[in-house]
Amino acid sequence: MTAVPQPPQARLRNQQAFETCMATTLQVLAAVEFAPALHHTQPTRETLLAFSVEIDRHAGDITALGGERFLDLPALGQGWYKRLVVGRDEPLLAAYHALHSAAYLGLDGGTTTAILLSAVSYALRVLAQREGYLCH
C-alpha cells in the first residue's frame, strides 16, 4: 500500500473542522464557567452529554486521519483526565488544560490531540453529572 498525500483542499477542510471544534468547545466550557455569573442560562446536562459525544466523534476522526482507527479513545481520554485532576477534582480546569494542549498540538498532534479532546469530552460528562455546578 502506498501512502498518498492529502490534496490541499482536504487538508484545509480538516483544519477548518478542527478549528471549529476547538472554538465551539471553548464556547461550551466558557458557558459552563461564566453563564451563572452573567445571569445567562447554563448548558443543560443533556447538552453537555450530547456535546461530549460529538467531541469523541471528532477525536475519532483525528485518529482515523493518522491511520489509527481502533483506539479506545474514551478510555484513553478518561485516563488522561484522571491524571489532570490528581490532587484536585476540578473538571472545568482539566477540560481547559486539555483543550489548550489539543489546540497547541493541532491536527499534527494526531493521536495525542485526539486523546486530549477525549479528555475534554470526559470532563464534560463529569460536569453534566454534577448538580448545581456553578464554577465562577
Side-chain angles (χ1 to χ4, degrees):
M1 178 184 288
T2 304
V4 178
Q6 289 182 337
Q9 311 89 298
R11 174 100 174 119
L12 178 61
R13 283 192 305 272
N14 290 337
Q15 186 64 37
Q16 289 171 334
F18 178 74
E19 290 171 4
T20 299
C21 174
M22 300 307 281
T24 306
T25 303
L26 184 58
Q27 287 175 328
V28 168
L29 294 177
V32 169
E33 183 176 13
F34 296 112
L38 299 173
H39 307 291
H40 295 155
T41 303
Q42 205 167 15
T44 65
R45 176 173 293 157
E46 293 76 20
T47 299
L48 293 177
L49 292 174
F51 201 80
S52 169
V53 169
E54 290 304 310
I55 293 172
D56 274 336
R57 183 190 58 75
H58 191 74
D61 291 345
I62 292 171
T63 58
L65 283 172
E68 297 189 52
R69 297 180 185 274
F70 303 107
L71 292 176
D72 185 358
L73 283 174
L76 292 169
Q78 181 180 358
W80 193 265
Y81 168 83
K82 287 181 177 180
R83 280 182 258 164
L84 289 172
V85 295
V86 168
R88 326 189 274 194
D89 183 21
E90 297 184 25
L92 187 61
L93 291 179
Y96 274 128
H97 182 78
L99 185 65
H100 289 153
S101 299
Y104 172 74
L105 292 173
L107 283 177
D108 292 333
T111 300
T112 304
T113 298
I115 292 169
L116 289 164
L117 282 176
S118 194
V120 175
S121 172
Y122 186 81
L124 286 176
R125 290 192 297 275
V126 170
L127 285 168
Q129 297 308 315
R130 294 190 174 177
E131 291 294 328
Y133 45 87
L134 179 64
C135 297
H136 193 268

